[in-house]
């Protein structure tokens, strides 16, 4: 990438918030990178993209977009020209005209995946056993309790809205595949990464490695940024 200021924009997925990136922020800042978290509302794909675009509009220089889980659909839907690199962390990456739900349910669920259904308002909440056994099964009991208490539900509209032409067709893409993921099957992640032409780094981590294996995530991000810069 050009030698201008680089800002890494971290986008959380469903049942999470910006605090899910806490262990990632300081290590990136220590490398001289700017870091911003985009607090998307999880109300619809369109709403989430508009919030992300407002965040990006405030940033100068080159941008690296990082999306976890559902947020992969969000970072793929922006058209900001200053985005130089996309990094997917155990994420969903729908193609044009495809929904996040279609990708999410492409393979049979893991035996310990939670049963999910929307409430009367169309919002999907993660049950306690979901955090315990699937969302972040490698986390400490204390962290699982915090995740349950601070979860933000996702509206079913987010995963039912068809994606526009994704930015990953035009930009360099890296994909951190979570081989022990019980939410998004590793097979689905490999499929997505393959059709995206992504550079793949696969690790034996759970669905939320930014919480349970932050060093892995940081290492992949720094390698992606460095390699993209060398290729620019």
């Amino acid at each position: 990438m050009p030698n201008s200021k680089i800002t890494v924009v971290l986008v959380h997925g469903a049942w999470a918030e910006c605090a899910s990136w806490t262990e990632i922020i300081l290590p990136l800042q220590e490398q001289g990178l700017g870091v911003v978290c985009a607090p998307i509302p999880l109300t619809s794909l369109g709403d989430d993209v508009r919030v992300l675009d407002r965040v990006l509009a405030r940033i100068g220089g080159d941008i690296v977009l990082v999306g976890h889980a559902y947020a992969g659909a969000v970072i793929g839907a922006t058209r900001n020209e200053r985005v130089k690199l996309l990094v997917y962390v155990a994420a969903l990456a729908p193609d044009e005209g495809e929904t996040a739900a279609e990708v999410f349910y492409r393979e049979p669920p893991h035996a310990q995946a939670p049963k999910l259904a929307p409430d009367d308002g169309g919002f999907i909440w993660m049950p306690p056993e979901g955090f315990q056994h699937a969302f972040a099964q490698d986390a400490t009991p204390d962290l699982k309790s915090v995740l349950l208490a601070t979860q933000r539900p996702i509206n079913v509209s987010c995963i039912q809205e068809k994606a526009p032409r994704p930015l990953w067709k035009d930009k360099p893409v890296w994909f951190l595949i979570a081989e022990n993921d019980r939410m998004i099957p590793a097979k689905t992640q490999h499929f997505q990464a393959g059709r995206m032409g992504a550079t793949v780094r696969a690790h034996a981590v759970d669905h939320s490695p930014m919480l349970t294996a932050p060093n892995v995530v940081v290492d992949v991000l720094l390698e992606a940024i460095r390699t993209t810069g060398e290729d620019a």
Side-chain angles (χ1 to χ4, degrees):
M1 283 179 285
N3 292 322
S4 58
K5 176 71 173 179
I6 297 172
T7 300
V8 178
V9 178
L10 306 166
V11 190
H12 64 83
W15 310 295
E17 56 179 358
C18 281
S20 63
W21 296 106
T22 298
E23 299 299 319
I24 307 298
I25 296 171
L26 289 179
L28 294 180
Q29 291 177 336
E30 289 169 358
Q31 297 297 317
L33 297 163
V35 184
V36 174
C37 294
I40 58 175
L42 300 173
T43 47
S44 74
L45 179 60
D47 288 346
D48 295 335
V49 175
R50 281 187 285 274
V51 169
L52 174 59
D53 284 340
R54 286 199 293 271
V55 172
L56 299 184
R58 300 177 59 248
I59 298 170
D62 294 336
I63 295 169
V64 174
L65 277 182
V66 184
H68 172 243
Y70 158 72
V74 180
I75 68 172
T78 185
R79 303 308 304 172
N80 191 292
E81 294 181 355
R82 285 178 293 108
V83 174
K84 305 300 180 184
L85 170 66
L86 300 165
V87 182
Y88 289 73
V89 178
L92 298 173
D95 202 345
E96 184 174 7
E98 191 173 47
T99 67
E102 288 173 321
V103 183
F104 184 73
Y105 292 109
R106 186 176 186 273
E107 297 291 334
H110 189 277
Q112 292 178 284
K115 301 295 188 292
L116 300 171
D119 63 16
D120 291 341
F123 285 92
I124 305 170
W125 296 80
M126 176 69 69
E129 62 271 18
F131 287 111
Q132 184 70 27
H133 301 299
F135 186 84
Q137 71 264 20
D138 295 338
T140 64
D142 285 351
L143 178 53
K144 291 173 183 177
S145 294
V146 170
L147 292 172
L148 176 62
T150 60
Q151 71 163 299
R152 298 180 59 214
I154 183 171
N155 195 281
V156 69
S157 299
C158 295
I159 61 172
Q160 292 181 342
E161 186 176 333
K162 294 184 182 297
R165 186 181 192 279
L167 191 59
W168 49 258
K169 292 190 173 182
D170 305 312
K171 303 289 183 177
V173 183
W174 282 57
F175 205 117
L176 195 172
I177 293 176
E179 295 287 3
N180 297 339
D181 199 320
R182 297 176 182 174
M183 293 295 300
I184 302 173
K187 185 175 180 180
T188 296
Q189 295 179 48
H190 279 283
F191 163 76
Q192 294 178 107
R195 74 174 178 180
M196 297 162 80
T199 299
V200 171
R201 294 293 180 266
H203 291 270
V205 295
D206 66 15
H207 178 66
S208 303
M210 66 285 185
L211 292 162
T212 59
N215 290 343
V216 170
V217 179
V218 170
D219 287 348
V220 171
L221 288 176
L222 293 178
E223 183 187 7
I225 293 168
R226 181 178 65 251
T227 303
T228 303
E230 291 171 352
D231 293 342

